[in-house]
Amino acid sequence: MTTVASRKNVKVLSDNGALAGLLVLVVALSLLAPSFLTTQNLLNVGVQAAVVAVLAFGSTFVIVSGGIDLSVGSVAALSAMVGAWSSAEAGLPGPVALLLGLGTGVVAGLVNGALVSYGKLPAFIATLAMLSVARGLTLVVSQGSPTTTPDVVSFLGSNLTPYLPVPLLVMLVFFGITGFVLSRTYSGRAMYAIGGNEEAARLSGIDVRRQKLVIYALSGLFAAVAGMLLAGRLSSAGPQAAVGYELDAIAAVVIGGASLSGGVGRATGTLVGALVLAVLRNGLNQLQVSPFWQQVVIGAVIALAVLLDTLRRRTR
Amino acid sequence: MLLEARNIGKSFTGVRALDGVDFDVRPGEVHVLLGENGAGKSTLVKVLAGVHAPDTGTVERRGSLAVIHQELTLVPQLSVAENLFLGRPPRRFGIVDKARMREDAKALLDRVGLDVDPTTPVQDLGIAGQQMVEIARALSLNAQLLVLDEPTAVLTDTETDRLLDIMSELRAQGVGLVFITHHLDEIRRVADRITVLRDGRSVGTLPGTATVEHMIELMVGRTIDEQYPRRRTEPGEVLFKVEGLTRRGAFHDVSFHVRAGEVVGVAGLVGAGRTEVVRAAFGVDPYDSGTVEVAGRQVPRHDVQAAVRAGLGLVPEDRKGQGLVLTSTVADNLGLVTMKASTRAGLVDRRGQRERAAGMAKSLRVKASGLGQQVRELSGGNQQKVVIGKWLLADPRVLVLDEPTRGVDVGAKVEIYELVNRMTAAGRAVVLVSSDLPEVIGMSDRVVVMAHGRVAGELPGGTTQDKVMALAVQEFPA
C-alpha cells in the first residue's frame, strides 16, 4: 500500500515538476519585468506557444511510441507553402487550399511511417531525410520567396475578439485531441505498448507496422496545422519558416516528462513544456536579454529539466 | 591444485542456489561441470570467478582465471589483433606499435590453432573463430584456468571437434579447464573428471570414463511427486497441428499435434530448437516449409495477428524482453491482447478492459498494490501471471507456454500449473516448452523430445527423466 501512495506522489510530482518550474518562471518574471504579467502579454505568450505546442503534440505520439520525428519543422513549412501556393498561384478556393496543405503534412508523415515500419529505417534517419526533402520542396514550390496565404489560413492567425486569439484556441483544441487520442483510442494505447516494448506489443497481436504509419501520419498532420498557424499570423508562408522548430518540439515533449526511450509521456506534460519554452523566450525578451544569450539560457533549461527528471527517476 | 573451492554455499533472496559444493581443478586437466538447467552451474562459475562472494566456504586460486561465455565479448568491427590487446595495445613512445601487435597476435593465434590474418575484422570470423580469439585473449592475460561455459552450444560438429582438440592441446600445456556442456558425448571425449550438480549440491565426482547412463542417473535422480498437480481430461479433437515445419539452420521436419484438453510437453536441451519452432508456429518468425493448423484450419505463415485470430497464444520465454511492457501498468499489460477486440470505431472500451483486468488479476491472485502499479515492480512469478493472464482473457484455443516457470518461486509455479489444468478442463490445448525435466514430465500428457532441431521422439506423460535425456542427447547424421 505504501507503494501506491508513493507512486501517486511521484506521479503528481512529475506532472507538477514541469508545472512547478513554469510557475516559478512566471512568478520570477512578474517580479523582474513589470510588463510581463499583463493580460495582453500573457495572451502573446499563448500565441507564441501555440505553434511549438501543436508541433510538440504531434511529436508526443512519436516519442511515446519510441520514435523521433525530426522533420516536423520542414513539414510545417511545406504544408503552409502548398496551402498558400494552391490559392495564390493555382487559384483554388481557400478551404480547398487549406485541405491540400493539411494533406501534404499527412502524406509526408505517411512516407516517414512507411520508411520506418516497412523500410525498417531508423526513425532518426528517415525523418532526417524528410527534414531535408520537405525543406527543399518548400523552396521549389515557392521559388524561394514568401507567398500570401488565403483568408481562411490568415484567420487562424487572427483574433476572434481582442481577448481571444485563434492560435490559442487551436492549441487548446489540439491539446484536447492529443489527450483523447493518447488515453482513449486504440492507436494511442498501442503507442504506449510499442514504445514500452515493441516486441511484446508485436507478440500480443498489435499490428506494429500499421500503427507506426498512423503515428507518423498524425505527427505530419499536426505539423501541417502548426505550419498553418505560423503562416496565418504573418498572412504569408515563408520558405524558411519554422527552421529548427523540430528541436523546440522535442524539447517541449521532454521537458514535459516524456522519455525518449518510449512508453512514457502525456499531453499535459507537453503543453506545460511548450509553455515553459514560450514563457522563457517572452520573459527574456522583456528583460532585454540579447537573443544570443537567450539561446544559451534555453539550452541550459532543457538540460536542467531532463537532468532533474533523471535524478528523480534514479532516487525511486 | 590450481583452484580449490570448499563447502561453497550461496543463496539469492532466500533461494538456495548452492549448498556445500566442493570443486577443484588441477593443472593440465579438463574438469567437466554437469547438471540440469538451474542446478547451480552458472552460480558456481560466478563464485569461482569472484563475481559472487559465497555465503559460506572458501575459494583458493593459484593463477588467474578467465571465463569464456556463450555470448562473446569482442568488438565485432575491430581486427583480431586489436581485440586480443583491447585496452592494452603494445606501445612505442605512446603510439600503438601495430607491427608488434600483429606479431604478438600471430603467436597467440598459433597457440589456439587459429590460422587467420590478425588484421581480419572479428565479425568476419564466424562464431567458432570468435571463440578461439576469446580463448587466445584469455591466454594472453596469462590465464592458467579457463572456464568454458557451454561453448559448443553454438558450434557445428566440425567446429566442436576443433574446439575439443584445442582443449586437449591447452591441457597438455598445463592449463586447467572447467568445461560446461550438455552434450554427453563431448564429455566422454575430453573429460578427466566430471562433477555433477543437482539442486545446488554436488552429487558426485566421476572419472572421465564414466558411462552416459551413470551421468544421467546422477544428473536427474529425483522423484516426481505432487509438485505437479496435473489433472488429466479426456482428449478431444485435434486442435493444434504442426506438420513438417522446417527452417534451414534452425529446425527440420518438426511435426506434432495437440488435442483439446491435452498438454503436450516439448523437452530438449538448450539450443535444440524448441523456442524457434513455437515462435515460427505462432508467426513471430518465418519458416521455409511445413504447415500449422488450429482446429483444422491452416494458419498463415509469419503473421502474428492471423495466429491470434486463429486462436493461438504464446507466452514467450523471455518475460521481460517479449512478454511485458515494463513501463505500463498491470491493467494495460493484462489488456494488451484483448484491446483490439474491445475497440469500437477506434475507441478502446477502457472501463470494460479495466473490469476484465481486475477480474483476471483477482482470479490469478496477482500480488500487486493495484491495477495501476507498473509491472516492472512485481516479482517474477506475478509478472508471469500477468503475461499468462493477458492470454487467458483472450481465451485462445491453443496456448503455448515457453519456459513458463523459469525464475518463478515454488508457490507461483504450482499456481501456474493449476492454470494449465483450468485451460485443459475447459477443452483448450496447451503446449508446454520447458527445460525443467520434472515439470515437463509431471505436467504433460505426452512429451515431444527435440534434439538438434528435430523431433527425436515422443514419450508418454510420467515417463522417466533418463528416457527423455537419452532422446535429448541423441545425435543425428549431418
Side-chain angles (χ1 to χ4, degrees):
Chain A
M1 278 304 145
T2 51
T3 47
V4 190
S6 70
R7 275 214 52 73
K8 275 199 175 140
N9 285 340
V10 165
K11 255 191 167 163
V12 171
L13 264 179
S14 115
D15 275 4
N16 288 2
L19 198 59
L22 180 63
L23 291 178
V24 168
L25 266 180
V26 169
V27 170
L29 287 170
S30 311
L31 295 175
L32 291 171
S35 51
F36 177 79
L37 198 65
T38 58
T39 315
Q40 197 50 56
N41 188 54
L42 289 183
L43 286 174
N44 272 341
V45 171
V47 170
Q48 284 158 3
V51 174
V52 167
V54 173
L55 280 179
F57 290 142
S59 292
T60 306
F61 301 137
V62 178
I63 288 172
V64 163
S65 72
I68 192 93
D69 191 346
L70 297 175
S71 70
V72 290
S74 296
V75 169
L78 176 63
S79 306
M81 187 57 76
V82 166
W85 181 88
S86 307
S87 125
E89 303 290 326
L92 292 168
V96 176
L98 176 68
L99 285 180
L100 275 177
L102 296 179
T104 304
V106 173
V107 169
L110 284 173
V111 171
N112 279 333
L115 288 174
V116 171
S117 58
Y118 295 94
K120 298 207 162 59
L121 281 189
F124 191 97
I125 303 298
T127 60
L128 185 65
M130 182 56 76
L131 178 149
S132 182
V133 168
R135 181 64 64 188
L137 287 176
T138 313
L139 289 162
V140 169
V141 170
S142 66
Q143 295 296 315
S145 45
T147 308
T148 312
T149 54
D151 289 346
V152 59
V153 172
S154 301
F155 165 76
L156 289 176
S158 65
N159 289 339
L160 272 182
T161 74
Y163 291 109
L164 201 50
V166 178
L168 196 62
L169 278 179
V170 173
M171 175 172 83
L172 291 176
V173 167
F174 276 81
F175 165 63
I177 295 175
T178 305
F180 183 79
V181 167
L182 284 175
S183 66
R184 292 291 317 278
T185 66
Y186 180 79
S187 291
R189 301 319 296 167
M191 289 170 198
Y192 288 99
I194 294 169
N197 187 342
E198 186 168 333
E199 187 69 358
R202 188 164 79 99
L203 293 194
S204 299
I206 291 173
D207 189 345
V208 173
R209 286 185 296 188
R210 190 161 75 200
Q211 289 308 321
K212 280 189 175 174
L213 274 186
V214 173
I215 290 162
Y216 284 90
L218 276 175
S219 179
L221 174 65
F222 278 44
V225 171
M228 297 298 171
L229 283 181
L230 185 62
R233 270 167 59 196
L234 308 166
S235 287
S236 156
Q240 295 294 353
V243 168
Y245 276 36
E246 58 278 349
L247 300 182
D248 274 10
I250 294 167
V253 177
V254 170
I255 290 173
S259 158
L260 279 182
S261 44
V264 180
R266 296 170 58 160
T268 40
T270 299
L271 179 66
V272 171
L275 288 175
V276 165
L277 287 178
V279 165
L280 205 56
R281 286 228 167 80
N282 178 283
L284 292 172
N285 275 332
Q286 303 272 337
L287 294 174
Q288 291 173 346
V289 174
S290 96
F292 305 156
W293 278 108
Q294 287 191 20
Q295 295 201 29
V296 176
V297 173
I298 288 171
V301 166
I302 294 171
L304 197 67
V306 180
L307 192 63
L308 288 176
D309 196 49
T310 315
L311 288 176
R312 184 177 55 77
R313 270 173 230 263
R314 211 177 292 162
T315 52
R316 225 200 288 164
Chain B
M1 290 292 167
L2 278 173
L3 176 103
E4 211 166 344
R6 290 283 162 257
N7 191 33
I8 301 298
K10 179 78 192 167
S11 299
F12 295 102
T13 56
V15 180
R16 216 153 177 61
L18 290 175
D19 191 0
V21 173
D22 294 338
F23 190 78
D24 54 44
V25 185
R26 303 181 187 123
E29 79 159 343
V30 176
H31 193 159
V32 166
L33 199 48
L34 184 64
E36 291 182 275
N37 299 323
K41 291 168 300 187
S42 316
T43 311
L44 180 59
V45 166
K46 283 184 180 148
V47 169
L48 297 181
V51 178
H52 291 327
D55 298 340
T56 65
T58 54
V59 180
E60 269 183 61
R61 227 165 56 194
R62 266 170 292 280
S64 63
L65 174 148
V67 183
I68 312 293
H69 293 284
Q70 239 183 72
E71 306 87 36
L72 302 172
T73 57
L74 303 172
V75 185
Q77 295 85 357
L78 294 185
S79 74
V80 170
E82 283 165 325
N83 268 290
L84 284 173
F85 300 104
L86 204 62
R88 50 185 182 98
R91 268 167 288 200
R92 249 178 110 199
F93 312 120
I95 303 208
V96 175
D97 186 346
K98 287 213 162 180
R100 217 187 95 204
M101 188 159 85
R102 273 197 298 275
E103 279 166 37
D104 292 357
K106 195 79 200 130
L108 276 171
L109 294 175
D110 284 346
R111 250 187 103 184
V112 296
L114 184 62
D115 184 23
V116 296
D117 183 346
T119 59
T120 317
V122 153
Q123 61 193 0
D124 295 348
L125 282 189
I127 200 83
Q130 294 184 18
Q131 263 181 4
M132 303 299 171
V133 172
E134 190 114 18
I135 292 171
R137 182 164 73 183
L139 295 176
S140 78
L141 290 161
N142 292 318
Q144 281 115 333
L145 266 166
L146 268 186
V147 180
L148 300 157
D149 190 354
E150 293 196 44
T152 57
V154 289
L155 299 185
T156 64
D157 288 351
T158 23
E159 289 167 346
T160 299
D161 286 345
R162 209 168 90 200
L163 179 67
L164 296 181
D165 287 347
I166 286 160
M167 286 171 61
S168 307
E169 186 71 25
L170 292 173
R171 167 169 58 192
Q173 292 171 18
V175 178
L177 296 119
V178 178
F179 182 33
I180 300 178
T181 179
H182 282 297
H183 297 278
L184 304 183
D185 52 319
E186 293 168 6
I187 296 175
R188 309 241 320 143
R189 285 169 56 191
V190 290
D192 295 302
R193 285 191 293 159
I194 305 158
T195 290
V196 183
L197 288 186
R198 189 205 305 155
D199 295 336
R201 291 166 190 271
S202 165
V203 290
T205 298
L206 305 170
T209 51
T211 61
V212 169
E213 288 72 27
H214 199 172
M215 286 188 244
I216 292 178
E217 190 193 310
L218 271 187
M219 216 159 102
V220 293
R222 180 173 30 182
T223 52
I224 303 167
D225 50 37
E226 268 311 294
Q227 265 180 288
Y228 307 102
R230 172 77 187 128
R231 283 193 308 278
R232 272 157 216 269
T233 39
E234 193 55 42
E237 48 161 352
V238 174
L239 273 189
F240 187 49
K241 193 166 162 196
V242 172
E243 190 82 28
L245 214 62
T246 300
R247 184 169 74 231
R248 275 194 321 131
F251 46 86
H252 188 81
D253 195 21
V254 173
S255 302
F256 63 92
H257 68 272
V258 191
R259 292 175 181 281
E262 218 183 9
V263 179
V264 169
V266 182
L269 301 174
V270 171
R274 296 167 300 166
T275 295
E276 288 78 0
V277 167
V278 293
R279 276 174 63 94
F282 185 62
V284 184
D285 303 319
Y287 49 84
D288 297 327
S289 59
T291 55
V292 177
E293 280 175 19
V294 172
R297 294 180 67 172
Q298 196 167 329
V299 182
R301 177 182 162 280
H302 201 188
D303 185 345
V304 174
Q305 286 138 272
V308 173
R309 275 195 303 274
L312 262 176
L314 170 71
V315 172
E317 75 176 327
D318 180 1
R319 185 161 58 233
K320 288 183 181 171
Q322 301 168 349
L324 294 167
V325 180
L326 290 171
T327 47
S328 287
T329 62
V330 172
D332 279 347
N333 272 283
L334 280 171
L336 224 44
V337 181
T338 42
M339 196 164 77
K340 190 150 216 170
S342 56
T343 296
R344 293 282 171 278
L347 298 186
V348 180
D349 170 20
R350 287 200 77 190
R351 189 197 289 171
Q353 282 282 87
R354 223 177 352 254
E355 278 165 10
R356 285 186 285 275
M360 183 53 71
K362 197 167 163 222
S363 98
L364 296 184
R365 277 175 286 176
V366 174
K367 288 192 201 77
S369 58
L371 286 176
Q373 189 176 15
Q374 283 196 327
V375 282
R376 73 162 82 235
E377 293 163 358
L378 304 187
S379 73
N382 283 298
Q383 289 183 339
Q384 188 68 304
K385 285 188 205 167
V386 171
V387 182
I388 297 175
K390 78 174 177 187
W391 282 109
L392 293 185
L393 278 173
D395 194 22
R397 285 196 267 199
V398 181
L399 185 60
V400 181
L401 303 164
D402 193 357
E403 304 288 358
T405 63
R406 183 184 280 172
V408 167
D409 60 85
V410 182
K413 266 188 193 179
V414 175
E415 291 186 73
I416 289 171
Y417 300 146
E418 289 296 350
L419 291 178
V420 170
N421 283 332
R422 237 164 68 185
M423 286 210 65
T424 52
R428 307 293 182 244
V430 173
V431 178
L432 174 64
V433 179
S434 175
S435 297
D436 185 336
L437 277 183
E439 166 181 291
V440 81
I441 291 169
M443 283 308 294
S444 307
D445 303 333
R446 287 184 289 129
V447 182
V448 171
V449 185
M450 284 189 67
H452 302 284
R454 290 160 195 264
V455 173
E458 191 185 303
L459 299 164
T463 179
T464 64
Q465 301 187 29
D466 309 34
K467 283 183 183 160
V468 175
M469 281 310 281
L471 283 175
V473 297
Q474 187 172 321
E475 300 289 338
F476 288 95

